Amino acid sequence: MRRSGEKFAFQAEVHRLMDIIINSLYSNKDVFLRELISNASDALDKIRFLSLTDKSILGEGDNTKLEIQIKLDKERKVLSIRDRGIGMTKDDLIKNLGTIAKSGTSAFLERMQKSGDINLIGQFGVGFYSVYLVGDRVEVRSKHNDDSAWVWASSADGNFEVYPDDDEADEALGRGTEIRIHLKDEASEYLSEDKLKELVKKYSQFINFPIYMWGSREVDEEVPVEEEEEVEKEEEKEDKDKEDTESDEEDDKDSEDEAEEEEEDDKKEKKRKTRVEKRTKWEWELLNSVKAIWLRSPKDVTDDEYREFYKSLAKDYSTDKPLAWTHFSAEGDVEFKAVLFIPPRAAYDMYDNYYANKAALKLYVRRVFISEEFEELLPKYLNFLKGLVDSDSLPLNVSREMLQAHSSLKTIRKKLVRKALDMIRRLAEDEEDAKAKAQEQREKDGSPKDGEEVVPSDAETQYEDFWREFGRAMKLGVIEDSSNRMRLAKLLRFKSSNDPEKLTSLEQYVARMKPGQKAIYYVTGPNREQLERSPFIEKLLKKGLEVLFLTEPVDEYLMQNLTDFDDKKFQNASKEDLKIGGKKSKEREKEMKESFKDLLAWWKEQLGSKEVEAVKLSERLASSPCVVVTSKYGWSANMERIMTSQALGDPTRQSYLKGRKILEVNPRHPIVRQLRDLVAADPKDESATAVASTLYETALIESGFSLEDPSKFAARIFTVLKSNLNIDPTADVEEEVDEEETEESSSETKDEDEIEAVGLGGDDVVDADSPEDDADVDKEAVGSGDARDSHDEL
């Protein structure tokens, strides 16, 4: 029982205030425990800071233990959180726990947005009031070194009371604060020890101070068997009397044997007097055993500790190790510490739900977990990174919306992106260094020998592993992040004509460029094998120029945003105005154009302006007769293929974005030269028209376009095949006779024959057996149903 205390009225609209806290600030009730543990940590931080200059302030005994304790009373439905922090006086309780109500709701929200003084260490801010999400009454017991113990209590009904903590049934505080929450009926889930352990592990496992929970566990104990004790004693007494009698008869027995027997009897007696029982043992259990390694210097943390921390953070308990990590601190206007990891593999739905997936970076404020889906910390293309950020510059007790608008987040985001890209760059550099060292060592050892397979080490393939999992994310970064585009461009890797297996970087490509080469050549398509045989790059490969093979759909969008690298322009080999370079004879070129001028004009007229914009002589072809390229700023054939395959694509819009087609012909190809002669002899020659149409449609297919009317193309191909087989072009396909129709026809013919035969038989009967004047009557009978009777008579 307690005596009544002083009653106070909140000086603001408490119900409106509670509504703001419950509905606006906190959408998840679980955070109440996070807020209370955070407050307890702040109070412990302050007393620890004061003890640096005055050790006596900590007191003696248990008061020196800076820890947080959680205890459940399931019968009374009370949850208690206790700390041995700075504590509060009576005035502190009235002032600190009434600040929000006293300032008014509008002023409160304003202070929250401006990050006012509610974050002062050891004081209760808005986070304290989150207890009313789960409790209908709250009691705060607190003891400060400068005052006696006091209790603050309220049911959030507009009033609170403060009274001395003189209840003898309560354990003396000594120093610190204990919050007792009388849980609501709908909050009974928080009476579970497992639930509270889960919340502590999720939100507060990296708090600087140990968090203990009062709990029970089953243990095995040896207990005495009291009922059997007397029986055992009687048996022992009888055995002793018997032994004494035998001892009198056998005086000469060895004394050493008697000592051994007595020792064995003592062991048996001890064994018989105890048994193992299951008993419940109550004790304090440590909940936050994981150390906050980001608070330590990177030099003091081992690789194994980083790997174990990654497993705990990412909940990835496989045997795979993170590809890389970075651990750093930022100082200045915004202070924070961060640890970032590159996971060993991409999430299965990383690219399927690219824009819907949330960032996997956890945000902590003063070691208190705030959120694990905070999009403002990293751009989308770096969402695959795992890790955390712990800042002392951000406000703690605010909603997600208010935190997202905080000015410090932009600074944190910028530094995180830089550090993340530096980590990925080092991963690539380390791979190159490992390859160089391994090659040097192999040359020194004279390996590999003939037929011996070289197995690269993990260090030699670490960036290849990264690119295989997250390469598309880097390409998306080039598209989305213009401020870091050049940094990301150095991280790109492509398939190349230089090596059939290894990927190449843009820096390596530029280093291998031919003298006088001014462009970086590339071609896009569905796969490497098809691109290697593409007519677009025949002359490039013949001259020994390197070509990049871009085989992913995202590459088309990538090259629209990445126009140059290291002052070298990118050149799509499938588009017009391809400049290959090299010395050319102007007279020879002029002569060639004059020779094919009539053919090009005739061909353009045959195809029409709707089909192609122009017909030109090609500089890119070596062995193919012709190819279809697109205009410089329109879609390539590969891009057109990608867009037309979209389920929700708009054909009307696509028609404006398609590139204008240009037919380029190879003036050195025998087919083209023969066609020139045919057209020169007779421009209306039907065979020349057919050859020109077939060449153009074949070039369309080979260039990656689709035909608008494949049936016409197929018909022309069949005509060519007939000609090669010496078949008459006008020869018709032999008509197929239907077997069912043949059977029906045969059946009808057979029936007619039978009827005719029957009719003839009737005439014979009439002529033989009847008078001539009765013949007509008999014939009518035979022609009707009586034919069968006449047939039977015959």
Side-chain angles (χ1 to χ4, degrees):
M1 296 295 293
R2 63 168 179 82
R3 65 188 186 187
S4 59
E6 300 179 62
K7 292 186 178 181
F8 300 86
F10 289 108
Q11 298 180 6
E13 300 170 339
V14 177
H15 293 294
R16 183 184 172 193
L17 175 64
M18 293 298 112
D19 182 68
I20 292 174
I21 293 174
I22 294 172
N23 298 321
S24 299
L25 289 178
Y26 299 95
S27 57
N28 182 5
K29 293 182 179 181
D30 292 347
V31 300
F32 85 94
L33 188 61
R34 178 196 77 184
E35 297 296 337
L36 297 183
I37 291 177
S38 172
N39 289 335
S41 176
D42 288 344
L44 291 168
D45 270 328
K46 187 166 187 179
I47 195 66
R48 183 174 60 180
F49 176 76
L50 295 176
S51 67
L52 296 177
T53 55
D54 184 6
K55 292 185 179 180
S56 64
I57 199 171
L58 289 178
E60 299 177 352
D62 290 343
N63 287 338
T64 60
K65 298 179 181 179
L66 301 183
E67 59 190 18
I68 301 171
Q69 296 177 344
I70 301 174
K71 198 171 185 178
L72 270 175
D73 187 341
K74 295 183 179 180
E75 294 183 0
R76 297 170 56 197
K77 295 174 62 176
V78 174
L79 171 62
S80 302
I81 296 95
R82 176 178 177 177
D83 66 76
R84 291 189 172 90
I86 190 67
M88 289 181 284
T89 63
K90 177 183 177 182
D91 292 339
D92 290 336
L93 287 171
I94 298 172
K95 180 181 178 181
N96 294 338
L97 301 186
T99 299
I100 298 174
K102 196 171 183 178
S103 63
T105 54
S106 59
F108 156 64
L109 290 175
E110 183 179 352
R111 287 179 59 187
M112 293 287 287
Q113 291 173 337
K114 292 182 179 180
S115 183
D117 62 351
I118 62 172
N119 293 312
L120 294 177
I121 294 178
Q123 293 190 1
F124 286 91
V126 66
F128 164 75
Y129 288 92
S130 64
V131 296
Y132 290 104
L133 294 169
V134 297
D136 49 18
R137 178 176 173 80
V138 177
E139 298 170 358
V140 180
R141 303 173 61 218
S142 191
K143 170 69 171 67
H144 192 280
N145 285 339
D146 297 337
D147 199 354
S148 58
W150 291 85
V151 179
W152 179 100
S154 177
S155 300
D157 55 358
N159 300 296
F160 65 91
E161 56 181 338
V162 178
Y163 54 86
D165 182 22
D166 55 359
D167 196 335
E168 297 180 357
D170 293 334
E171 180 183 355
L173 278 176
R175 187 195 65 251
T177 301
E178 179 184 9
I179 301 175
R180 294 177 177 176
I181 309 170
H182 297 263
L183 296 172
K184 300 176 182 178
D185 293 336
E186 58 269 26
S188 58
E189 61 178 311
Y190 300 105
L191 289 173
S192 168
E193 296 176 9
D194 293 336
K195 174 67 174 179
L196 296 178
K197 291 178 182 178
E198 176 188 345
L199 295 181
V200 172
K201 185 176 182 180
K202 179 179 181 180
Y203 290 108
S204 307
Q205 62 174 330
F206 299 119
I207 289 291
N208 272 343
F209 303 97
I211 303 173
Y212 292 96
M213 184 170 182
W214 185 249
S216 61
R217 61 186 180 91
E218 296 290 334
V219 296
D220 294 335
E221 286 188 3
E222 287 189 356
V223 296
V225 185
E226 297 179 356
E227 295 180 358
E228 300 177 3
E229 186 174 1
E230 295 181 0
V231 176
E232 291 176 357
K233 286 182 178 180
E234 291 179 359
E235 292 177 354
E236 290 173 2
K237 186 176 181 181
E238 293 176 358
D239 293 341
K240 188 176 181 181
D241 294 340
K242 186 176 181 181
E243 289 175 359
D244 292 341
T245 305
E246 293 176 354
S247 179
D248 294 336
E249 295 176 354
E250 300 177 358
D251 293 334
D252 58 346
K253 193 172 185 179
D254 190 20
S255 59
E256 293 181 359
D257 292 339
E258 291 180 0
E260 291 178 0
E261 289 178 2
E262 290 178 0
E263 184 176 352
E264 290 178 3
D265 290 341
D266 291 340
K267 290 181 179 179
K268 291 180 181 180
E269 181 180 356
K270 185 177 181 181
K271 185 176 181 181
R272 286 196 301 266
K273 290 183 179 180
T274 61
R275 69 167 179 266
V276 177
E277 272 190 1
K278 291 282 186 181
R279 291 201 173 185
T280 301
K281 184 177 181 180
W282 291 85
E283 61 185 1
W284 291 105
E285 178 184 355
L286 181 64
L287 302 184
N288 58 335
S289 56
V290 180
K291 298 179 181 179
I293 66 170
W294 67 87
L295 299 177
R296 298 158 56 187
S297 171
K299 298 179 181 179
D300 299 332
V301 185
T302 64
D303 289 351
D304 289 338
E305 287 179 312
Y306 279 121
R307 295 187 184 106
E308 289 300 320
F309 180 70
Y310 167 78
K311 291 181 179 181
S312 172
L313 186 72
K315 295 179 175 60
D316 182 2
Y317 297 100
S318 65
T319 56
D320 296 331
K321 303 174 183 178
L323 295 178
W325 59 79
T326 180
H327 179 189
F328 62 94
S329 300
E331 298 179 354
D333 296 337
V334 179
E335 296 183 359
F336 68 92
K337 297 177 176 63
V339 181
L340 302 178
F341 293 91
I342 300 177
R345 73 191 69 81
Y348 70 95
D349 62 342
M350 175 179 172
Y351 299 110
D352 295 336
N353 299 310
Y354 176 75
Y355 291 102
N357 287 337
K358 304 295 183 181
L361 204 61
K362 295 186 177 183
L363 175 63
Y364 285 77
V365 176
R366 295 195 296 276
R367 279 80 62 200
V368 178
F369 176 67
I370 300 299
S371 174
E372 60 184 350
E373 296 180 353
F374 217 77
E375 300 181 15
E376 282 67 23
L377 288 176
L378 284 176
K380 284 289 184 182
Y381 68 90
L382 291 176
N383 275 356
F384 63 87
L385 294 177
K386 306 287 186 181
L388 59 83
V389 177
D390 187 358
S391 175
D392 292 337
S393 302
L394 294 173
L396 177 61
N397 302 313
V398 295
S399 67
R400 181 192 299 264
E401 291 77 13
M402 293 177 182
L403 198 55
Q404 287 172 345
H406 200 275
S407 59
S408 298
L409 279 181
K410 293 182 179 179
T411 304
I412 295 176
R413 176 191 175 102
K414 184 177 180 180
K415 292 183 179 180
L416 286 176
V417 172
R418 294 284 180 89
K419 287 292 185 179
L421 297 183
D422 287 343
M423 171 177 58
I424 299 172
R425 175 183 54 79
R426 287 196 303 271
L427 189 67
E429 292 174 352
D430 291 345
E431 181 185 86
E432 294 300 322
D433 293 342
K435 287 181 178 179
K437 291 179 180 178
Q439 183 63 27
E440 182 180 349
Q441 185 64 36
R442 293 188 188 104
E443 293 177 356
K444 184 178 179 180
D445 298 340
S447 61
K449 299 179 181 179
D450 294 341
E452 183 180 355
E453 183 180 358
V454 177
V455 179
S457 63
D458 292 341
E460 295 178 72
T461 61
Q462 58 184 5
Y463 196 75
E464 292 180 16
D465 297 338
F466 167 82
W467 187 257
R468 183 174 57 253
E469 297 291 334
F470 308 107
R472 275 181 287 173
M474 296 296 97
K475 294 177 180 179
L476 289 167
V478 174
I479 298 171
E480 299 172 357
D481 192 354
S482 58
S483 61
N484 292 294
R485 185 161 291 157
M486 285 301 105
R487 288 188 180 88
L488 288 161
K490 295 179 180 180
L491 302 175
L492 298 178
R493 296 293 183 271
F494 300 101
K495 299 173 184 176
S496 167
S497 60
N498 179 69
D499 194 301
E501 297 180 356
K502 296 180 181 179
L503 299 176
T504 186
S505 68
L506 294 177
E507 290 177 311
Q508 292 169 338
Y509 180 100
V510 172
R512 292 192 296 262
M513 288 176 67
K514 298 285 185 180
Q517 182 181 344
K518 298 180 180 179
I520 300 174
Y521 300 108
Y522 72 93
V523 63
T524 60
N527 55 71
R528 181 194 180 100
E529 291 73 18
Q530 182 174 328
L531 292 178
E532 286 177 332
R533 300 189 298 269
S534 173
F536 295 124
I537 61 174
E538 288 176 353
K539 183 66 73 67
L540 293 171
L541 296 181
K542 187 175 182 180
K543 286 183 171 291
L545 297 173
E546 185 175 355
V547 181
L548 299 178
F549 299 136
L550 279 58
T551 58
E552 292 184 326
V554 70
D555 291 333
E556 288 284 354
Y557 303 94
L558 169 70
M559 302 315 296
Q560 293 175 15
N561 293 272
L562 188 63
T563 57
D564 62 89
F565 179 83
D566 198 14
D567 297 329
K568 302 292 189 296
K569 294 290 184 181
F570 284 95
Q571 175 67 61
N572 190 339
S574 67
K575 294 198 173 184
E576 65 175 338
D577 296 334
L578 178 65
K579 305 297 181 182
I580 298 179
K583 295 182 180 180
K584 300 177 183 177
S585 174
K586 293 184 178 180
E587 293 182 2
R588 175 66 176 165
E589 186 177 356
K590 184 177 180 180
E591 181 183 345
M592 192 76 72
K593 287 182 179 180
E594 185 66 25
S595 176
F596 285 88
K597 180 177 67 174
D598 294 338
L599 173 64
L600 299 180
W602 174 85
W603 210 335
K604 172 69 171 63
E605 184 181 354
Q606 293 294 320
L607 295 175
S609 58
K610 184 179 180 181
E611 191 68 29
V612 295
E613 183 184 65
V615 180
K616 301 179 180 179
L617 295 181
S618 177
E619 295 183 4
R620 75 187 77 211
L621 295 175
S623 58
S624 298
C626 55
V627 69
V628 178
V629 300
T630 54
S631 56
K632 188 174 182 180
Y633 298 105
W635 284 348
S636 65
N638 186 57
M639 185 65 173
E640 188 174 320
R641 176 185 62 84
I642 293 171
M643 296 307 296
T644 53
S645 64
Q646 301 296 319
L648 302 178
D650 184 2
T652 305
R653 179 174 176 269
Q654 291 176 2
S655 62
Y656 293 101
L657 297 173
K658 289 181 179 179
R660 294 175 285 110
K661 295 182 179 68
I662 299 169
L663 176 64
E664 292 188 1
V665 298
N666 185 356
R668 294 167 298 277
H669 199 281
I671 295 178
V672 176
R673 300 179 73 88
Q674 182 65 26
L675 181 61
R676 178 194 59 182
D677 297 341
L678 288 174
V679 172
D682 184 5
K684 296 182 180 180
D685 188 344
E686 292 183 0
S687 62
T689 303
V691 170
S693 299
T694 304
L695 277 175
Y696 172 68
E697 291 178 343
T698 304
L700 277 176
I701 296 174
E702 195 174 19
S703 301
F705 293 97
S706 58
L707 299 177
E708 292 185 3
D709 191 353
S711 59
K712 288 184 178 180
F713 174 72
R716 275 191 284 271
I717 295 299
F718 296 149
T719 302
V720 173
L721 293 176
K722 287 180 181 179
S723 177
N724 291 338
L725 296 173
N726 297 322
I727 299 173
D728 184 2
T730 60
D732 296 329
V733 179
E734 182 180 350
E735 293 186 3
E736 181 182 2
V737 179
D738 195 342
E739 294 182 0
E740 293 182 358
E741 292 181 358
T742 304
E743 291 176 358
E744 291 178 0
S745 177
S746 301
S747 178
E748 290 176 358
T749 304
K750 184 177 180 181
D751 292 342
E752 290 176 359
D753 292 342
E754 289 179 355
I755 293 172
E756 184 177 356
V758 171
L760 290 173
D763 291 340
D764 293 340
V765 172
V766 172
D767 291 340
D769 299 335
S770 302
E772 291 182 359
D773 36 324
D774 295 331
D776 294 336
V777 178
D778 291 331
K779 286 179 181 179
E780 290 178 6
V782 171
S784 62
D786 297 335
R788 290 187 297 272
D789 298 333
S790 301
H791 184 268
D792 293 338
E793 291 175 2
L794 290 173

